Amino acid sequence: MANDYTTLVLLRPLLETLAIEAPAVCVRLQALHDDFADRIRRDDADLALVSEQLCTKFLPGFPRHAMYEDRFMACAWSGNPAFCQPSSLDLPAVALRAVRHRCAPNLADHALDELNVTRRIEIRTESQLLVPYLLTRTPPVAVIPERLALSAADAAQLSIAEAPVPLPGLRDAAVWHPRDSGDAAHEWQRLEHAASALRPATMPPA
Amino acid sequence: MANDYTTLVLLRPLLETLAIEAPAVCVRLQALHDDFADRIRRDDADLALVSEQLCTKFLPGFPRHAMYEDRFMACAWSGNPAFCQPSSLDLPAVALRAVRHRCAPNLADHALDELNVTRRIEIRTESQLLVPYLLTRTPPVAVIPERLALSAADAAQLSIAEAPVPLPGLRDAAVWHPRDSGDAAHEWQRLEHAASALRPATMPPA
């Protein structure tokens, strides 16, 4: 279980490896819903890829493996006249906000709210993967993970700059049921996840 | 309300137009969930973009506007040796299947099932937008809308060919509560949707 963006960044490379090393394996990629913790508790899914905060909150004591670190960057369409780095980074009055599942709050927006950074939300979307493309030829600025920004920078014609205020890093972990910890195939899968997290931040195919 | 792919193809161009013609308008893009028909009945969302079949089934008699026609194509990674057009199109034994919400079944898979086209499902995903990227450097073939295939063809290194069997076309409609029919802004929005449906099948930015 993973959100669409994590699926593309972390799980897609795993599919390539699986196609070579374990071609008989079938993979079911599932969206992260509010019941992700219940499903892990029931051992109804092999792994959930979620933020470490959610692991701690909903599955304390469950085995987990740090998978992924990223940082939030400010992005806008490269033709957006109001977005020039670095001087206007404290200016963006318009931002995208991904309205996510309750279980997967938008950490960037949460942090900006906590820092009392006011912004006029012009577009809301539930899909993080869509955010870069919604910036093209529109005025908003979005604060999104750097890997997502880099992956879509060419196709979505993005400019990327430091976030306007210091934001906490993004740390995703794989979490699973303890019953699966000794399973060799499962262990291999976790290692593959970890390996793909270390790869450079290019997305779809190189 | 729309799925992620429809959001990118139909709603993204609307955002560009809105940014110029109605910059004060805020847009909330919502994922298509099982309660889409209830929400339209309650007039809790302006529009749902769904297949005409779903409109007829869940919202009979509600005003709607045909938005979008497409056809299903067979796609695979361009380096996939088992996929060469047109001779091997009856061969692909492996396919992707998007496991969608109950309210938005995968029409291609439904049609293939009805035609008794057996296939070994190697990867399942809930996000139609991800499907092209999951093909890159992996063996499966997927049957997806042509616009989606064309939009991702370069980035995902896809080969595209006629579907192995004749499949019904894809027809999406915008559906809304009758109370909104006379609303001028709403009418304009519907027209914009219709206009963007007529644009060429290129995706993100040109």
Side-chain angles (χ1 to χ4, degrees):
Chain A
M1 293 179 288
N3 69 37
D4 56 359
Y5 163 62
T6 309
T7 300
L8 194 55
V9 171
L10 280 185
L11 298 182
R12 206 197 63 79
L14 172 69
L15 296 178
E16 283 185 32
T17 310
L18 277 172
I20 296 164
E21 297 186 13
V25 169
C26 294
V27 179
R28 184 167 185 167
L29 305 172
Q30 296 183 288
L32 203 61
H33 294 298
D34 285 346
D35 63 351
F36 87 95
D38 289 338
R39 297 197 55 199
I40 291 294
R41 272 190 217 101
R42 290 199 307 266
D43 202 10
D44 186 32
D46 288 338
L47 281 175
L49 298 180
V50 290
S51 71
E52 297 209 331
Q53 293 98 312
L54 288 177
C55 288
T56 302
K57 183 172 178 186
F58 292 108
L59 293 166
F62 274 66
R64 71 191 200 201
H65 184 85
M67 293 298 305
Y68 175 94
E69 290 196 29
D70 207 343
R71 57 179 184 153
F72 288 109
M73 302 294 281
C75 301
W77 177 43
S78 56
N80 186 334
F83 186 81
C84 52
Q85 41 180 308
S87 61
S88 67
L89 280 180
D90 51 347
L91 293 182
V94 185
L96 282 166
R97 171 181 286 177
V99 180
R100 304 285 298 284
H101 299 290
R102 278 168 297 167
C103 75
N106 183 325
L107 296 176
D109 274 295
H110 185 68
L112 289 168
D113 287 340
E114 295 232 315
L115 292 164
N116 293 316
V117 178
T118 53
R119 52 226 185 277
R120 185 166 74 88
I121 309 300
E122 191 165 90
I123 303 171
R124 294 171 192 267
T125 173
E126 296 179 43
S127 166
Q128 193 171 30
L129 205 55
L130 278 175
V131 172
Y133 300 99
L134 299 177
L135 296 174
T136 313
R137 290 193 284 268
T138 63
V141 172
V143 178
I144 57 176
E146 185 172 29
R147 292 191 199 201
L148 176 59
L150 289 173
S151 72
D154 287 346
Q157 304 167 6
L158 294 188
S159 287
I160 305 171
E162 295 287 332
V165 291
L167 292 172
L170 183 62
R171 295 168 59 88
D172 270 9
V175 59
W176 59 89
H177 193 286
R179 196 183 299 146
D180 294 328
S181 287
D183 182 283
H186 199 269
E187 172 78 14
W188 177 87
Q189 198 179 32
R190 288 201 305 273
L191 292 174
E192 266 304 315
H193 283 304
S196 65
L198 299 174
R199 285 173 198 151
T202 52
M203 207 154 50
Chain B
M1 292 180 288
N3 69 37
D4 55 1
Y5 164 61
T6 309
T7 300
L8 194 54
V9 171
L10 281 185
L11 297 182
R12 207 197 62 79
L14 173 67
L15 296 178
E16 283 185 39
T17 310
L18 277 173
I20 296 165
E21 298 185 13
V25 169
C26 295
V27 179
R28 184 167 186 166
L29 306 171
Q30 297 183 285
L32 204 61
H33 294 298
D34 285 347
D35 63 351
F36 87 94
D38 289 338
R39 295 198 56 200
I40 290 293
R41 272 189 217 102
R42 291 198 306 266
D43 202 10
D44 186 31
D46 287 337
L47 282 174
L49 298 180
V50 291
S51 71
E52 296 209 331
Q53 294 97 311
L54 288 176
C55 287
T56 302
K57 185 172 176 187
F58 292 109
L59 292 166
F62 274 64
R64 72 191 199 200
H65 184 86
M67 294 297 305
Y68 176 94
E69 290 196 31
D70 208 343
R71 56 180 185 155
F72 288 108
M73 301 293 282
C75 301
W77 177 43
S78 55
N80 186 334
F83 186 82
C84 51
Q85 43 180 307
S87 61
S88 67
L89 280 180
D90 51 348
L91 293 181
V94 186
L96 282 164
R97 172 181 285 179
V99 180
R100 304 287 297 285
H101 298 289
R102 277 169 297 168
C103 75
N106 184 326
L107 296 176
D109 274 294
H110 184 69
L112 290 168
D113 286 341
E114 295 232 315
L115 292 164
N116 292 317
V117 178
T118 53
R119 52 224 186 278
R120 186 166 74 85
I121 309 299
E122 191 166 88
I123 304 173
R124 292 172 193 268
T125 172
E126 295 179 44
S127 166
Q128 193 172 27
L129 204 55
L130 278 175
V131 171
Y133 300 98
L134 299 177
L135 296 173
T136 313
R137 289 193 282 269
T138 63
V141 172
V143 177
I144 58 177
E146 186 171 28
R147 291 190 200 201
L148 176 60
L150 289 173
S151 71
D154 288 345
Q157 303 167 4
L158 295 188
S159 287
I160 304 171
E162 294 287 330
V165 292
L167 292 171
L170 183 62
R171 296 169 58 89
D172 270 10
V175 59
W176 60 89
H177 193 287
R179 196 182 300 148
D180 294 328
S181 288
D183 183 283
H186 198 268
E187 173 75 13
W188 178 86
Q189 198 180 33
R190 289 201 305 273
L191 291 174
E192 267 304 314
H193 284 305
S196 65
L198 299 174
R199 287 172 196 150
T202 52
M203 211 154 51

